[in-house]
Amino acid sequence: MREPMGIHSNAVAAPPQLLLERLKDYGQEDAFALWDELSPEERHLLLNDIQSLDLSRIDRIIRCSLRSQGLPVAAIEPVPESWVSSVDERTMDHKERWWKMGLKAVSEGKLAVLLLSGGQGTRLGSSDPKGCFNVGLPSGKSLFQLQAERILCVQRLAAQAMNEGSVTIHWYIMTSPFTDDATGKFFESHKYFGLEADQVTFFQQGTIPCISKDGRYVMETPFKWQSRECLFSRQFAKSPDGNGGVYTALKSSRLLEDTATRGNKYVDCFGVDNALVRVADPTFLGYFIDKGVAAAAKVVRK
């Protein structure tokens, strides 16, 4: 009878040949360079790490990135003026019509809000999620609180305008493996800033391995602790896959189906470090609906 293979088994004395060949196909066989220095537990962690990767997708990303190096930057031209509308240049009738259209859509549950919040506040001198950051207002409010209170405000305005008892805007918050736990706890400790707990959905964006300038996977940095000898890394260094990862994350989390079930037709998407964002802005939503377009962006003209 065959013995079950445990993590201390000698069955992983050498890297699995099939996995090694797969890595060679993508020029990443150096991932096993420190194999002989790893304990059985660390070897299993490394194998699991490699097997969790979509190697072909990551290879496409790396190749695209390397090919773009040294290429001339494409000319950036202003969008045609016919594509742009300025609130300041519109009549009061226009603005009131858009405002009412937006509030009506909100009251009918057609709007969801999507926050991109996977990053840590490292440039702010903190490892906490950016949304926890106090931007220095006299109130001491965090970015998360500012945005939550704006959602509450629009809900109240929509309910008043349409004579509804209550209006709910569902809030989807994209975190990352590095911020998810802390973000959830921050919301719980602040009682969701007055929102209902079930109107907030957290989901995680993916991660991808960090790569060197020549396109090789970077392993976590070996470290020393007090007098101990250097410990070899057993996993890849990874980082969140950027705001563009929201599309894959929404699909893999089955949240596209969730928005459809809730009756959401429009999504207001914004970044967590935008302290001035008008979350669920009824005027902008009404303008978007009025134009009948697939997507629109709001900016401050330079």
Side-chain angles (χ1 to χ4, degrees), residues 15-292:
Q17 191 61 32
L18 286 177
L19 197 54
L20 181 58
E21 293 300 324
R22 283 193 67 206
L23 287 173
K24 283 183 178 179
D25 289 342
Y26 300 109
Q28 301 293 351
E29 63 272 19
D30 285 352
F32 287 129
L34 297 177
W35 180 264
D36 291 341
E37 309 294 338
L38 302 180
S39 68
E41 294 90 346
E42 290 170 331
R43 290 177 181 180
H44 274 276
L45 285 171
L46 178 59
L47 292 177
N48 290 337
D49 211 17
I50 296 172
Q51 290 167 342
S52 70
L53 299 176
D54 185 340
L55 294 175
S56 61
R57 172 177 173 264
I58 296 170
D59 185 64
R60 288 195 301 272
I61 294 171
I62 292 172
R63 289 177 183 275
C64 182
S65 176
L66 294 178
R67 279 199 304 268
S68 68
Q69 294 180 13
L71 293 177
V73 178
I76 300 175
E77 300 291 339
V79 297
E81 284 294 326
S82 60
W83 293 8
V84 180
S85 291
S86 172
V87 173
D88 292 338
E89 296 168 3
R90 291 291 180 160
T91 65
M92 187 58 67
D93 287 344
H94 270 117
K95 288 185 277 190
E96 286 185 2
R97 183 161 63 89
W98 290 337
W99 174 263
K100 291 177 180 177
M101 288 176 68
L103 289 179
K104 183 174 184 294
V106 170
S107 72
E108 294 171 347
K110 293 181 178 179
L111 179 70
V113 170
L114 172 59
L115 172 62
L116 308 178
S117 182
Q120 296 168 291
T122 49
R123 282 178 290 183
L124 304 172
S126 170
S127 61
D128 292 332
K130 285 183 185 178
C132 303
F133 194 71
N134 171 358
V135 295
L137 295 176
S139 64
K141 293 177 181 179
S142 65
L143 289 165
F144 282 141
Q145 182 172 354
L146 293 172
Q147 292 158 9
E149 289 178 353
R150 288 165 190 167
I151 292 173
L152 286 167
C153 179
V154 174
Q155 288 180 168
R156 185 169 61 252
L157 289 169
Q160 291 171 352
M162 301 296 136
N163 295 315
E164 299 281 351
S166 64
V167 170
T168 299
I169 299 173
H170 201 82
W171 195 7
Y172 295 95
I173 300 179
M174 185 176 78
T175 64
S176 72
F178 310 103
T179 63
D180 186 70
D181 185 59
T183 299
K185 288 178 178 177
F186 192 76
F187 270 76
E188 289 174 5
S189 67
H190 291 83
K191 302 186 186 304
Y192 289 81
F193 307 103
L195 297 169
E196 298 295 329
D198 61 2
Q199 77 176 98
V200 181
T201 298
F202 301 102
F203 67 103
Q204 292 187 40
Q205 69 184 108
T207 60
I208 54 176
C210 300
I211 63 168
S212 62
K213 290 183 178 180
D214 61 354
R216 300 297 182 93
Y217 295 162
V218 175
M219 306 302 287
E220 287 181 345
T221 305
F223 62 92
K224 290 183 178 179
W225 178 253
Q226 294 180 357
S227 61
R228 286 165 138 184
E229 62 184 72
C230 184
L231 300 178
F232 289 96
S233 171
R234 58 183 182 270
Q235 290 177 294
F236 298 120
K238 295 178 183 175
S239 64
D241 56 5
N243 283 345
V246 67
Y247 302 106
T248 302
L250 284 171
K251 184 177 180 180
S252 62
S253 301
R254 302 190 66 81
L255 291 181
L256 296 177
E257 293 88 343
D258 187 71
T259 59
T261 301
R262 296 178 189 278
N264 301 142
K265 190 174 180 181
Y266 314 110
V267 177
D268 183 19
C269 179
F270 60 97
V272 68
D273 42 10
N274 186 348
L276 300 180
V277 63
R278 293 181 179 179
V279 184
D281 179 3
T283 302
F284 181 53
L285 176 59
Y287 166 76
F288 170 75
I289 295 170
D290 191 36
K291 292 297 179 182

